[in-house]
Amino acid sequence: MGELGRWSLLLSAVVLLYMIAASAYGAWKRNRRWIMSGRRAAVAAAGLASLASLSLIGLLVTGDFRYEYVADYTSRDLGILYRISAFWGGNQGSLLLWLWVLTLYTVVVTFARSEGHEHFQPYVTATLGVVSLFFSVVLNTVAKPFQLLPFTSVDGAGLNPLLQNPGMTIHPLTLYLGYIGFSVPFAYAMAAVFTGRADAAWLRVTRRWSLVAWLFLSMGILYGARWAYEVLGWGGYWSWDPVENASLLPWLTATAFIHSSIVQERKGTLKIWNVALVILTFTLTIFGTFLTRSGIFWSVHAFSNGPLGAVFLTFIAFVLVAAFGLLAWRWPLLKSTAAPIAPVSKESSFVLNNVLFVSLTFAVLWGTVFPVISQGLIGRQMVVGPPFFNTVAAPLAVALVLLMGIGTVVAWRYSTVRRVAASLMTPFFLTLPALAVFIALGIREGAVLAALGSIVFVGAITLREFTSGTAARMRLTGESAPRALVRLVGQQRRRYGGYLVHLAVLLIVLGIVVSGSYSEQKQVVMKPGDMVTIGPYQLTLLGSATRDEPGRAVVYSQLLVQKSDQSLGILQPEDWYFLNGSQPAPQVAIRSTPIDDLYVVMAGMDATQGKVLFEIHRNPMLSWIWYGGYLLVAGTLISLWPARSAFQEVGRVEMPGVEVRP
């Protein structure tokens, strides 16, 4: 099985090289036979990558400890689910996953049928082939997943205990699907620039690819935050870790691109800007893999040190020089011929939106790489901590939230300040009593009030879009409110799906602001019968015990949770001690409600005296971050859902005053 995988990888490099050459030659000569040959090579490359990947999974599942990767990331006592997830739990396996998914994406893209696709297809296939070839060469040279050990190990080291969590079967996978998905818009952008046809055609072809990649990346970030919250035992979900930042950076530029692409589709402007954003997004996805593999940053997410950092840095430099060099070559053909953007218009709001997103990207990137820069300049690393990121990100985030609402009411082409202000008066006056309530509840911090006021203000604007559209449809059709709302959203999926995503972002920001500003924490030593109070809760230690499980010993405690003398149940935090000598892993106990989370960690134990050290957190409204994540997925899926054909548009009503957006 290992030899099958090794030879499949070797052949994949040869086939990918042929795929690039055949596609490029076919495009140059406009020879359909060579183009079709390149397509078939894409299928062959995907088949070989699949064989290699399934071979490695087979080795992991069967526990063939002759292979270095299997011995490093599995053990005999590891469950089948985690043996499979070990496929992306290490360096070589995760890179093989990247190659596998990218070659499968290439097949789908190559054989897709859509307007404007045929002209770009061979260039797209060649570009994706170049990226795939890079990963294939890396896997065949410096990160070999089928490397044999000089001896046969009796057992393996096992998977990192922190990765033995159901969330880790989802988080890396969704993150990689997002990272890799942005290769497709990048390939189309390069094809559009090379052919000098950077109009909206390539955007229409790649719109769904961009949204799908953005959705997976969003899910990866949210699942990663939840994993950190539930597994790491520190009471938080985001620490501005370098690898956390690495996933946020392409998300920011991709979000900017998704917004600015609407302007190019509608008005034919921002052509060069959109191409530049796609290049940056793709480059930042490669930069993320560089951060996890370079060894220059410490991170709980990072893989071991090795030569891969220099390899990825070289590839990043190649991509930037080649892509921006191509853009500079075609610059005269890409200049916009549309009328200048009016200062007060939806177009200008999108431009400002992009400026804020790119500014936030630069700030996060600068804070992430500054320790390395300072090491090179002064010989020591100057650490940039969460206070820097929070100070920079908070005002930009509030500005983005406000613009998200204001941009909704601004008209295309041209508007006036007076019209915009008139449209915002009702939401503004709804925000004032909300602020009064917040102040009455004891909220006095200006930054928190500004953030909460912005959330209420933009939420009122966004919900008005739903209520006004539903009311207009009810007047015209006589439909009930629920039916009118469903039909309204169904007929304009892209518009109202986007509004749902905006509401999701508001929920996420709400959870971040409230939990970050008003969380409580206590560290206490308790013995059976002791009680501690945090917020409105009383926790009483009932006792502690141990039990044996396959591959580990478990130490746990039980705490009775009460509120106003009413019993709410028992929380049972645990510590897992692995028999293979791995570091103990805390298992957090969480009681989560929409109001707050009660979060308990066992931080230590004195078995002789029966005392236990607990870290207890109360995080108000933190679960709203996860609620917002669910709504974000739903809104994006609605935006992605294909429009019904004309003969299916039963009950479609065009409503005066309600804008229909493509």
Side-chain angles (χ1 to χ4, degrees):
M1 192 181 297
E3 284 299 292
L4 176 64
R6 187 171 70 86
W7 280 101
S8 296
L9 269 182
L10 284 169
L11 287 173
S12 73
V14 177
V15 172
L16 286 167
L17 192 60
Y18 174 80
M19 182 182 86
I20 297 166
S23 299
Y25 183 77
W28 178 40
K29 294 293 186 180
R30 298 186 179 180
N31 187 312
R32 186 167 180 79
R33 290 181 61 187
W34 279 102
I35 292 174
M36 289 303 299
S37 184
R39 290 184 178 184
R40 296 188 189 98
V43 176
L48 290 167
S50 300
L51 273 177
S53 300
L54 294 173
S55 296
L56 184 58
I57 292 173
L59 294 175
L60 293 166
V61 169
T62 58
D64 193 335
F65 298 116
R66 295 175 300 163
Y67 290 88
E68 183 179 349
Y69 189 81
V70 179
D72 284 346
Y73 295 101
T74 63
S75 58
R76 296 188 183 278
D77 58 8
L78 197 64
I80 184 68
L81 178 64
Y82 296 121
R83 291 192 185 203
I84 294 173
S85 63
F87 176 48
W88 52 80
N91 218 346
Q92 300 93 322
S94 63
L95 292 175
L96 180 54
L97 173 65
W98 192 300
L99 176 65
W100 188 16
V101 174
L102 183 54
T103 54
L104 293 175
Y105 277 179
T106 303
V107 171
V108 175
V109 170
T110 298
F111 288 92
R113 290 287 180 269
S114 58
E115 184 182 353
H117 169 80
E118 289 295 330
H119 182 77
F120 297 128
Q121 184 270 315
Y123 303 99
V124 170
T125 304
T127 304
L128 292 174
V130 170
V131 180
S132 299
L133 180 62
F134 165 74
F135 283 94
S136 180
V137 170
V138 168
L139 287 163
N140 280 295
T141 54
V142 294
K144 300 178 181 179
F146 299 101
Q147 183 72 43
L148 284 164
L149 286 169
F151 58 90
T152 300
S153 177
V154 176
D155 199 357
L159 192 64
N160 185 331
L162 295 177
L163 304 183
Q164 295 185 40
N165 177 274
M168 287 307 291
T169 63
I170 301 173
H171 162 59
L173 197 56
T174 51
L175 206 61
Y176 277 128
L177 289 172
Y179 273 179
I180 303 164
F182 285 115
S183 302
V184 178
F186 171 75
Y188 270 100
M190 294 300 94
V193 173
F194 186 81
T195 58
R197 295 180 57 177
D199 53 15
W202 73 276
L203 292 174
R204 286 191 291 268
V205 174
T206 61
R207 174 184 169 268
R208 282 195 169 86
W209 278 103
S210 300
L211 279 177
V212 167
W214 183 86
L215 173 61
F216 278 126
L217 185 56
S218 302
M219 291 171 62
I221 292 171
L222 287 166
Y223 271 116
R226 188 150 191 172
W227 167 76
Y229 183 62
E230 295 178 350
V231 173
L232 297 184
W234 61 288
Y237 49 85
W238 190 269
S239 62
W240 295 104
D241 177 280
V243 178
E244 290 176 349
N245 294 348
S247 63
L248 178 63
L249 290 169
W251 186 90
L252 291 171
T253 54
T255 307
F257 166 68
I258 289 170
H259 284 86
S260 64
S261 64
I262 298 172
V263 179
Q264 185 175 341
E265 285 188 70
R266 290 288 298 257
K267 302 300 177 183
T269 60
L270 304 182
K271 295 179 182 179
I272 295 173
W273 179 244
N274 280 322
V275 173
L277 281 176
V278 171
I279 295 171
L280 287 176
T281 300
F282 173 72
T283 306
L284 287 171
T285 63
I286 305 298
F287 179 72
T289 64
F290 160 75
L291 285 183
T292 57
R293 292 165 175 83
S294 63
I296 62 175
F297 297 100
W298 181 89
S299 169
V300 70
H301 309 75
F303 296 112
S304 58
N305 299 357
L308 281 173
V311 174
F312 273 88
L313 199 58
T314 302
F315 184 63
I316 290 171
F318 165 75
V319 170
L320 288 173
V321 171
F324 280 109
L326 183 62
L327 183 60
W329 173 51
R330 288 295 195 182
W331 192 282
L333 295 176
L334 302 178
K335 286 184 178 179
S336 175
T337 57
I341 294 175
V344 182
S345 64
K346 195 175 290 292
E347 294 93 321
S348 63
S349 71
F350 277 120
V351 171
L352 182 56
N353 163 287
N354 272 223
V355 170
L356 292 173
F357 270 116
V358 172
S359 299
L360 185 54
T361 303
F362 176 77
V364 175
L365 179 62
W366 174 252
T368 303
V369 302
F370 183 75
V372 178
I373 294 174
S374 65
Q375 177 74 43
L377 292 177
I378 63 176
R380 62 186 179 89
Q381 285 199 1
M382 298 177 65
V383 178
V384 176
F388 165 80
F389 292 105
N390 292 334
T391 302
V392 173
L396 289 173
V398 171
L400 280 167
V401 167
L402 283 172
L403 189 60
M404 188 169 67
I406 295 171
T408 302
V409 303
V410 181
W412 287 100
R413 293 185 63 185
Y414 175 76
S415 188
T416 63
V417 174
R418 178 175 294 181
R419 289 178 186 173
V420 174
S423 300
L424 297 176
M425 290 305 292
T426 300
F428 175 75
F429 283 115
L430 289 173
T431 305
L432 294 178
L435 287 173
V437 171
F438 297 146
I439 293 172
L441 291 173
I443 299 174
R444 299 289 189 272
E445 299 86 347
V448 177
L449 285 172
L452 294 178
S454 300
I455 292 168
V456 173
F457 177 66
V458 176
I461 295 171
T462 309
L463 289 173
R464 185 177 62 181
E465 293 293 312
F466 287 93
T467 57
S468 61
T470 302
R473 185 175 179 96
M474 290 171 64
R475 288 194 301 270
L476 289 170
T477 65
E479 295 171 341
S480 64
R483 184 178 180 84
L485 176 62
V486 171
R487 292 260 182 151
L488 179 74
V489 175
Q491 289 181 6
Q492 300 180 60
R493 295 182 181 92
R494 186 171 177 180
R495 177 186 181 184
Y496 287 100
Y499 288 157
L500 286 175
V501 171
H502 286 180
L503 290 174
V505 171
L506 294 179
L507 294 183
I508 292 170
V509 173
L510 177 64
I512 291 172
V513 170
V514 176
S515 64
S517 302
Y518 300 105
S519 62
E520 300 176 61
Q521 177 182 353
K522 284 188 176 182
Q523 190 174 79
V524 293
V525 176
M526 302 176 69
K527 59 182 184 294
D530 286 351
M531 185 181 74
V532 63
T533 299
I534 184 167
Y537 300 103
Q538 301 85 43
L539 288 82
T540 304
L541 178 60
L542 301 179
S544 303
T546 62
R547 68 175 186 271
D548 292 329
E549 293 184 355
R552 62 178 175 245
V554 177
V555 179
Y556 64 92
S557 297
Q558 292 187 328
L559 296 109
L560 174 66
V561 182
Q562 294 175 294
K563 183 178 181 181
S564 302
D565 295 326
Q566 179 183 0
S567 177
L568 301 178
I570 292 175
L571 287 178
Q572 183 171 302
E574 302 178 350
D575 278 341
W576 289 357
Y577 293 85
F578 292 86
L579 302 183
N580 62 7
S582 299
Q583 183 179 355
Q587 301 299 305
V588 179
I590 304 174
R591 181 183 182 273
S592 183
T593 70
I595 297 174
D596 56 20
D597 280 14
L598 192 58
Y599 181 104
V600 183
V601 186
M602 284 180 61
M605 172 180 282
D606 185 343
T608 58
Q609 299 186 29
K611 294 181 178 179
V612 185
L613 174 62
F614 292 103
E615 286 188 10
I616 306 172
H617 301 258
R618 177 177 170 265
N619 299 317
M621 297 186 72
L622 190 142
S623 57
W624 287 66
I625 298 173
W626 321 133
Y627 303 152
Y630 302 142
L631 184 59
L632 183 144
V633 172
T636 309
L637 290 176
I638 289 172
S639 293
L640 283 166
W641 202 263
R644 293 177 295 181
S645 57
F647 66 86
Q648 291 177 305
E649 292 288 353
V650 180
R652 183 177 181 87
V653 175
E654 298 295 341
M655 293 173 288
V658 179
E659 181 184 1
V660 180
R661 303 180 186 179

